[in-house]
Amino acid sequence: MKNCEYQQIDPRALSVSPLSAQNPAEKKVQRPRRKWEAFPGKNRFFCDGRLILARQNGVLPLTLGLIVVTSGLFFAFDCPFLVEHLTVCIPVIGGVLFLFVVASLLRTSFTDPGILPRATADEAADIERQIDTSGSSTYRPPPRTKEILINQQVVKLKYCFTCKMFRPPRTSHCSLCDNCVERFDHHCPWVGNCVGKRNYRYFYSFIISLSFLTSFIFACVITHITLRSQAKKGIVQAVQESPASVVELVICFFSIWSILGLSGFHTYLVASNLTTNEDIKGSWSGKRGAEESGNPYTYSNIITNCCATLCGPMPPSLIDRRGFLPPDEAIPAAAASEMELPPFTPKSDANMCTQSTKDVLERMLHSSDFHGLCPSGNPKTSPLVQEVSSSAPATAEPSLSSGCSRQLARQAVVDPCPLLTPVAFSKNNRRDSLHSINPAFRLASPSPTLSRRALVLGDGPDIGFIPQH
Amino acid sequence: MAETHSLQDLQQPAVSSKVFVQRDYSSGTICKFQTKFPSELESRMDKQQFEETMQSLNNLYAEAEKLGGKSYLEGCLACLTAYTIFLCMETHYEKVLKKIAKYIKDQNEKIYAPRGLLLTDPIERGLRVVEITIFEDRNIGSGR
């Protein structure tokens, strides 16, 4: 028998040593990859995962351009005249507003709106199990919903086929970004990102400050032209002297209508603690004339609603963009905190769990095979191996590898028993069972056996994983 | 040889299953987990202990998300400094999350690991579930 290490029963010690034993042997990646590089949604990342943006952000440069150009023209052409004739406060106020607008816009665009990480394979399997016990036996089940009571109001939770979980209340799946976003408001093309729980306050401050900025520029330009025309006795001449003002006027005039309207609308939403999504769908407006209009999330007090939405505690990002992927090829973990947790101890627990979980998953799928092949006593392993190799190797291999790798993965990851190696460990299964950390992303890997298993998990054609190549 | 192998069995707990404790949305969208005792854990630990752990977790999350003078002040201060203040200090929520991580580690060491269980911090699962891993005790298995 090959030398297998003996370890203490303490799970933490177990979780640290196999990982460290595994690392030097199995590490093939030259540079440790960060989790954002393998993110399944349609997002773009900048500054090594610090900034996140939607993939389709074509209009954001336009928005920025319009704001910068208009403000630039204002400072260059109108301010000198107004400083001379009125007060120096005008460019100061304009400057402050401009900076605030740009800061809010960039914050809205580059902040994670509250993306929910996709469910791990274990969770998905668990949910599937719970549904199947009560559901029908057709291959493609109907869209699943779950009803819950929130503040004595019935709310339906929908099952997201892409993210494989029941969406929390107020969460919606954005098809443009391919993510479930908490407190989903809308996907704003001007800002190039979804507007959700984490960046709604920045979005709101952006549109409010932009309303002020456009109104301010509009008023200043009108004043400028008026003063000039009074001095020169003619509007036409005044305009001829300062053509840029006309450009600004036109831009501001059209912006003001839309921006002020939008600000007003969002002020109403904030005061009644609604999202654009809910308002458009009319989720809570069934009872017309009722004070609460059925919204279970409202605090029934405008000030409390405003404070809760805009000044409430800032929730953390649930997707760990800058965490490192475990030393595997293309297999990221689905979720982790954004904080710097102490070096691998809690993560290694998770890794350990999911590593062996994968085995459990395989076991679940081949439960009958497993029970037949791997009885309790390990001394029987060698004759068992002969039996297995002589009978059906194709089906037996995965289950045998799952059962035996389960024991071996714990300890002697580097030195498996040589008796088992030639038979039980086919290349794919061995690598997958010992390497993959998160079974959820094994479904996206190009392993043929696993892609079959992915379908067994009962998903429809909505497998939304972007293939990781 | 056979003895060595079975000794290895005895010292290798393997994962037998995972239990997921889902979120409880009865009070709205705040982070709260169900305190109902899962049936799979009945043989491993007592109900009281489990409910106490879940209740403490819920209280900690409630503290993180509490709307009060302090959080409003933090929000307003952040707004006034154009949110640059978060480059220097961490938010109240993050502070409480660290507290939660420490609490879970503590609970694992004292209560769950001796019973062959492991709690996973919900933040690692996107605050969707509390994942409890049940390690199968090989002692029981080898007797078959």
Side-chain angles (χ1 to χ4, degrees):
Chain A
M1 197 41 98
K2 209 48 175 174
N3 46 341
C4 303
E5 295 170 46
Y6 293 97
Q7 296 281 336
Q8 289 295 323
I9 218 166
D10 180 21
R12 262 183 311 137
L14 271 178
S15 62
V16 172
S17 59
L19 200 63
S20 53
Q22 193 184 10
N23 276 342
E26 310 297 347
K27 194 179 212 159
K28 291 183 174 66
V29 182
Q30 300 307 319
R31 170 186 70 85
R33 294 176 70 216
R34 295 209 188 245
K35 288 179 186 160
W36 64 264
E37 299 181 53
F39 186 70
K42 293 183 191 162
N43 288 94
R44 279 196 231 171
F45 297 88
F46 301 101
C47 291
D48 200 19
R50 288 183 181 90
L51 307 176
I52 179 172
L53 197 63
R55 191 156 288 185
Q56 299 172 4
N57 58 346
V59 195
L60 173 63
L62 175 68
T63 313
L64 256 178
L66 270 176
I67 294 172
V68 168
V69 161
T70 313
S71 306
L73 287 175
F74 173 71
F75 289 124
F77 293 98
D78 296 278
C79 279
F81 183 88
L82 289 169
V83 165
E84 212 181 291
H85 287 80
L86 285 177
T87 165
V88 76
C89 288
I90 290 183
V92 170
I93 296 174
V96 167
L97 276 175
F98 171 72
L99 286 173
F100 203 76
V101 165
V102 172
S104 307
L105 172 63
L106 293 179
R107 262 273 172 181
T108 312
S109 302
F110 291 114
T111 304
D112 169 18
I115 295 174
L116 269 181
R118 297 189 182 179
T120 58
D122 302 315
E123 286 175 58
D126 189 59
I127 295 176
E128 287 276 338
R129 229 186 355 249
Q130 284 173 18
I131 294 170
D132 282 341
T133 51
S134 50
S136 61
S137 56
T138 53
Y139 178 66
R140 176 87 204 265
R144 303 155 180 167
T145 53
K146 190 162 82 169
E147 285 190 3
I148 55 167
L149 263 184
I150 298 181
N151 293 332
Q152 281 81 49
Q153 180 94 16
V154 174
V155 174
K156 271 205 176 121
L157 298 185
K158 277 196 181 157
Y159 184 78
C160 182
F161 283 100
T162 313
C163 304
K164 296 212 172 42
M165 59 178 173
F166 278 99
R167 285 186 211 130
R170 306 194 105 174
T171 303
S172 193
H173 191 95
C174 175
S175 48
L176 289 167
C177 302
D178 204 23
N179 291 314
C180 268
V181 177
E182 284 192 297
R183 204 183 184 278
F184 180 73
D185 196 85
H186 66 285
H187 181 101
C188 186
W190 298 95
V191 152
N193 201 1
C194 290
V195 177
K197 181 161 91 165
R198 294 186 79 242
N199 64 352
Y200 187 72
R201 64 191 72 188
Y202 306 135
F203 176 74
Y204 186 74
S205 64
F206 166 63
I207 55 177
I208 294 285
S209 53
L210 189 61
S211 326
F212 279 118
L213 182 67
T214 47
S215 317
F216 182 74
I217 291 182
F218 191 72
C220 287
V221 169
I222 299 265
T223 313
H224 174 205
I225 295 201
T226 313
L227 287 176
R228 240 188 229 272
S229 60
Q230 275 175 359
K232 303 281 177 175
K233 296 191 181 66
I235 284 192
V236 178
Q237 209 170 356
V239 165
Q240 273 175 351
E241 277 181 13
S242 173
S245 306
V246 180
V247 175
E248 292 166 51
L249 264 181
V250 167
I251 294 178
C252 288
F253 182 73
F254 288 112
S255 310
I256 279 184
W257 288 113
S258 43
I259 300 287
L260 276 178
L262 197 63
S263 304
F265 175 62
H266 276 280
T267 308
Y268 157 71
L269 289 181
V270 164
S272 41
N273 206 327
L274 282 172
T275 63
T276 308
N277 203 28
E278 286 165 357
D279 190 73
I280 286 179
K281 283 191 196 160
S283 315
W284 313 119
S285 62
K287 307 168 198 151
R288 288 236 147 228
E291 324 76 78
E292 295 133 272
S293 66
N295 181 6
Y297 311 109
T298 181
Y299 295 93
S300 305
N301 177 353
I302 291 182
I303 299 194
T304 317
N305 280 339
C306 291
C307 290
T309 313
L310 301 174
C311 305
M314 188 65 190
S317 176
L318 296 175
I319 52 171
D320 180 23
R321 301 188 296 270
R322 290 184 42 82
F324 284 101
L325 288 173
D328 284 326
E329 288 198 355
I331 313 197
S337 119
E338 196 180 30
M339 300 186 305
E340 298 294 307
L341 293 169
F344 275 105
T345 321
K347 283 208 169 89
S348 58
D349 278 343
N351 289 345
M352 193 60 184
C353 295
T354 48
Q355 218 176 355
S356 45
T357 296
K358 233 204 13 31
D359 301 322
V360 174
L361 209 58
E362 288 179 67
R363 199 164 62 125
M364 270 168 17
L365 295 167
H366 295 272
S367 54
S368 55
D369 290 337
F370 169 72
H371 286 309
L373 286 173
C374 285
S376 57
N378 274 332
K380 297 200 185 90
T381 306
S382 39
L384 204 66
V385 166
Q386 315 315 345
E387 279 171 18
V388 167
S389 61
S390 57
S391 60
T395 46
E397 269 182 9
S399 39
L400 183 61
S401 74
S402 75
C404 298
S405 63
R406 207 191 54 206
Q407 340 149 355
L408 294 167
R410 301 289 72 76
Q411 306 283 333
V413 171
V414 183
D415 275 328
C417 299
L419 285 171
L420 296 172
T421 310
V423 181
F425 294 97
S426 68
K427 253 197 290 188
N428 274 345
N429 285 332
R430 168 93 170 102
R431 277 174 63 75
D432 290 332
S433 61
L434 292 176
H435 285 217
S436 71
I437 295 305
N438 192 322
F441 290 91
R442 286 188 63 214
L443 300 178
S445 73
S447 164
T449 51
L450 294 172
S451 56
R452 282 202 298 276
R453 286 173 198 168
L455 290 176
V456 171
L457 281 185
D459 205 337
D462 289 345
I463 294 180
F465 293 112
I466 294 171
Q468 309 290 339
H469 292 296
Chain B
M1 274 301 181
E3 280 172 4
T4 319
H5 218 24
S6 57
L7 194 63
Q8 182 184 357
D9 281 346
L10 288 174
Q11 292 190 341
Q12 292 186 54
V15 176
S16 71
S17 64
K18 291 193 181 197
V19 181
F20 295 100
V21 178
Q22 301 286 341
R23 285 269 295 267
D24 174 16
Y25 294 115
S26 56
S27 323
T29 51
I30 59 163
C31 185
K32 194 173 161 194
F33 291 96
Q34 293 177 355
T35 50
K36 182 170 153 292
F37 188 56
S39 49
E40 292 92 333
L41 299 178
E42 258 162 30
S43 55
R44 296 288 187 133
M45 63 182 304
D46 57 305
K47 193 170 164 186
Q48 188 75 13
Q49 195 74 64
F50 176 79
E51 281 177 6
E52 215 179 278
T53 310
M54 297 312 292
Q55 198 55 48
S56 310
L57 270 181
N58 285 342
N59 290 341
L60 282 168
Y61 281 115
E63 188 196 319
E65 298 186 357
K66 196 168 73 112
L67 296 171
K70 194 170 171 220
S71 67
Y72 292 151
L73 197 64
E74 193 187 47
C76 290
L77 188 67
C79 180
L80 290 173
T81 60
Y83 301 99
T84 52
I85 197 163
F86 291 138
L87 296 170
C88 323
M89 63 175 236
E90 46 174 28
T91 65
H92 174 65
Y93 209 115
E94 283 170 354
K95 286 190 191 129
V96 179
L97 282 178
K98 285 203 171 144
K99 225 160 104 176
I100 290 172
K102 189 165 165 291
Y103 174 75
I104 288 183
K105 189 168 157 214
D106 211 38
Q107 289 282 294
N108 271 334
E109 278 172 20
K110 291 197 186 126
I111 299 171
Y112 290 85
R115 290 173 172 77
L117 299 170
L118 185 72
L119 282 181
T120 305
D121 195 339
I123 195 77
E124 293 183 21
R125 297 287 176 264
L127 291 183
R128 287 186 308 263
V129 286
V130 174
E131 191 180 294
I132 303 172
T133 316
I134 301 177
F135 287 98
E136 185 185 278
D137 197 358
R138 279 293 187 142
N139 279 330
I140 304 167
S142 62
R144 274 185 280 154

